[in-house]
Amino acid sequence: MKHQIISPRAMTAIGPEQRLSMAEARHRELDSRLQQLGRRAFLTPGERMEAAQLKKRKLAAKDEIESLRRRLS
């Protein structure tokens, strides 16, 4: 997964369309990793913790996507 760190100041300079695009890309990356973990027959405790954290981050990305879509419409 590629991680891009953007400062809060830079986020204010980014338009809502670009923020939406970034949030959608992040959501796809998180979903992809969750699918990888889901294909395993057994998850280690660390992998279960990772999956739980990924689900929370994916939900946060989805909330951000919906908020940006409402703002853009």
Side-chain angles (χ1 to χ4, degrees), residues 25-41:
R26 185 169 59 250
H27 188 271
R28 284 190 301 272
E29 288 176 2
L30 295 167
D31 188 53
S32 175
R33 178 61 180 146
L34 279 167
Q35 287 180 9
Q36 287 176 347
L37 291 172
R39 287 191 288 269
R40 297 182 182 205

Side-chain angles (χ1 to χ4, degrees), residues 20 23-24 27 59-73:
L20 176 60
E24 289 170 336
H27 188 271
L59 183 57
K62 182 178 178 182
D63 289 344
E64 182 180 2
I65 290 166
E66 292 304 317
S67 173
L68 289 166
R69 285 182 178 161
R70 279 193 304 273
R71 192 180 302 170
L72 290 169
S73 60

Side-chain angles (χ1 to χ4, degrees), residues 44-54:
T44 66
E47 289 169 334
R48 286 195 303 266
M49 183 179 291
E50 178 186 2
Q53 291 170 348
L54 289 170

